[in-house]
Amino acid sequence: MAIPLRPLQSPLDKMTDYLRDAQLIHRATQERLAQKTTARQAQSKGGAGQPGAEHSALNRAVVVAAVGALEAFTEDLAITAQKHHPPAMPPRSEWYTVAGPNGMVQTPSPTNLRKLFWTFFRYDPMAVWDWQVRVSESETGGTNTWPSGIVRLAGTDAFKFLETMVKVRHGFAHQDKGQLKVHSPGIAGQTAGGKISIHAHHAINAVSVLLRYAVLTAAGLARDLGCTKTCCTRQFRWSTAMSGAGWEPHLVGTPAGVLVRKTWREPPTALQ
């Protein structure tokens, strides 16, 4: 008899759809950069050259799309968990709307994410947030803007990363200059003139962190709802759609990747 899946498998499966736009935009950006490099080489010019303004705009679009995926996944996870945890259904549901125009995470700041999960499940996901991001020297005290290292962010540092990512989305979506003061390694830089600068490594970090957020937050919620005790045979499952979406490289060597390898059914070879 087949082993049943965890009740919270569905939101993870649908994450391949939620994050698709961000990944497609990032892929298009990389293809344009490759074309530019090929053209420069054909002209006997060295290197890839300075990315144009269109690449910066595409990188920003990746971050904006990733924030949309953050909202969609979180709402889906909370609504799905409510169905399997009756105490999480409030008597005055109109006061605590998960999705829709008045949804609790319509602005998916980490503060609102934590409020949502605590309100319904008495679960604080920040305790499990733990991810590495690529950073440049300029983000850690130097001057070089090219990615040159990895920084691990957990707890309040992970909170700050998500907070900055949402501020970046808000600032660009609403052209709100008051929201453009940001500083968090790995997600945004700021020019001397005060403008936000989003580079290629910021875009890829946004995608990678969202996948790690999904894996870690869902697993933590499943644990707190008792799945590891009452449903110990129910494991999350890796799907061919996740492999098709290229999730493996984003998870290799990370706490989320280790969790997948140790606790999920059929983890991919790259994580074993």
Side-chain angles (χ1 to χ4, degrees):
M1 183 176 67
I3 298 175
L5 300 176
R6 285 191 188 277
L8 304 185
Q9 176 74 37
S10 175
L12 286 165
D13 287 339
K14 287 188 280 188
M15 189 61 169
T16 58
D17 293 327
Y18 297 146
L19 204 53
R20 179 174 289 125
D21 284 348
Q23 290 186 281
L24 289 175
I25 296 169
H26 182 259
R27 185 185 305 169
T29 308
Q30 296 305 105
E31 290 173 352
R32 290 177 68 90
L33 285 171
Q35 292 169 0
K36 184 174 183 177
T37 298
T38 300
R40 286 178 62 84
Q41 291 174 345
Q43 299 171 12
S44 299
K45 296 179 180 179
Q50 181 67 30
E54 70 275 13
H55 296 109
S56 180
L58 287 168
N59 289 331
R60 292 197 297 269
V62 172
V63 175
V64 171
V67 173
L70 173 62
E71 177 184 347
F73 171 80
T74 300
E75 291 176 346
D76 192 358
L77 180 62
I79 290 172
T80 302
Q82 279 185 316
K83 297 175 183 177
H84 299 279
H85 189 64
M89 302 296 289
R92 297 298 298 272
S93 59
E94 71 274 13
W95 289 2
Y96 303 99
T97 304
V98 175
N102 297 315
M104 295 178 69
V105 291
Q106 187 179 34
T107 298
S109 68
T111 296
N112 287 342
L113 300 178
R114 294 175 71 195
K115 283 182 179 179
L116 172 69
F117 287 113
W118 186 259
T119 296
F120 294 117
F121 311 108
R122 292 300 185 265
Y123 165 59
D124 185 356
M126 192 175 80
V128 301
W129 293 345
D130 189 339
W131 39 72
Q132 297 97 327
V133 296
R134 303 176 188 178
V135 298
S136 66
E137 289 182 2
S138 63
E139 296 170 84
T140 56
T143 58
N144 194 332
T145 59
W146 291 99
S148 58
I150 301 291
V151 170
R152 184 172 181 176
L153 305 175
T156 56
D157 291 328
F159 177 102
K160 189 174 182 180
F161 181 98
L162 292 178
E163 183 178 52
T164 301
M165 187 166 72
V166 174
K167 284 184 176 180
V168 168
R169 191 282 296 267
H170 185 88
F172 285 122
H174 301 284
Q175 296 296 306
D176 183 355
K177 294 182 179 180
Q179 292 287 334
L180 299 186
K181 295 180 180 180
V182 301
H183 178 72
S184 181
I187 188 57
Q190 202 148 15
T191 68
K195 293 183 178 180
I196 286 180
S197 57
I198 304 295
H199 298 290
H201 68 285
H202 296 142
I204 196 66
N205 283 341
V207 172
S208 295
V209 165
L210 257 293
L211 288 175
R212 298 163 195 170
Y213 165 88
V215 169
L216 295 170
T217 303
L221 181 58
R223 179 202 63 220
D224 273 26
L225 294 184
C227 286
T228 56
K229 297 178 181 178
T230 61
C231 312
C232 60
T233 59
R234 298 185 181 185
Q235 297 178 328
F236 289 115
R237 176 203 60 193
W238 187 269
S239 70
T240 55
M242 293 171 184
S243 291
W247 281 22
E248 293 99 318
H250 298 283
L251 299 175
V252 171
T254 70
V258 171
L259 187 147
V260 169
R261 175 173 58 82
K262 290 183 175 181
T263 66
W264 285 33
R265 288 173 53 191
E266 303 174 7
T269 302
L271 297 181
Q272 295 178 8

